[in-house]
Amino acid sequence: MDKKLHSALNEQIKNELYSAYLYLSMASWFESVNLEGFAHWMKVQAKEEEKHAMKIFDFLNDRGVKVVLQAIAQPPVDFSSAKEIFEQSLGHEKKVTAMINKLYDLSLDVGDHASRVFLHWFINEQVEEEKSPSKILETLRAIKGEGAALIMLDRELAKREG
Ligand code: FEO
């Protein structure tokens, strides 16, 4: 595999694990304010991110190139509201989409068709990854992020399946 592509895919494992860390930190904040449904939603999201990281981990190994795990930065720990958290989630997912698009461009540049096809899954997945926080954010804006409607939304998010 081309060295630059190998290194970029390897780095994306760290980026996906950072996403898991970020969502787990958000889950922790929701736990601290007794919004257990939101916390559950974030914990399920963190697991999804681990799966994304493992997909790349397995792909690199299948291609016979070594995975070198990198340090994961500390995520933010202080948040002010559910609305702020979902704004940050959406912003984060947009950044991840840009990363995936760059990886795709690189796979085209170096003519690595197996990587290009592998990345199709991630391109499709990012549509969902942006849609989910965006929908929740719309609801949070509509209910002004407080009151009985917030508790109702918390109950709704508790139903997310892993
Ligand atoms: Fe792995 Fe949320 O993107």
Side-chain angles (χ1 to χ4, degrees), residues 46-109:
K47 285 253 174 276
E48 287 285 312
E49 299 299 352
E50 277 173 34
K51 284 185 207 158
H52 296 172
M54 286 312 297
K55 259 187 192 290
I56 306 171
F57 183 97
D58 289 339
F59 177 70
L60 288 179
N61 283 313
D62 288 348
R63 292 286 303 275
V65 288
K66 192 169 188 286
V67 169
V68 180
L69 293 177
Q70 299 168 353
I72 304 167
Q74 184 183 19
V77 291
D78 288 322
F79 304 98
S80 60
S81 65
K83 186 168 138 292
E84 187 208 356
I85 285 184
F86 277 89
E87 280 165 355
Q88 285 196 22
S89 303
L90 180 58
H92 180 71
E93 287 303 332
K94 285 183 177 170
K95 277 191 212 154
V96 175
T97 300
M99 289 171 190
I100 298 292
N101 288 343
K102 261 179 93 176
L103 281 169
Y104 189 81
D105 289 345
L106 186 55
S107 73
L108 280 176
D109 286 350

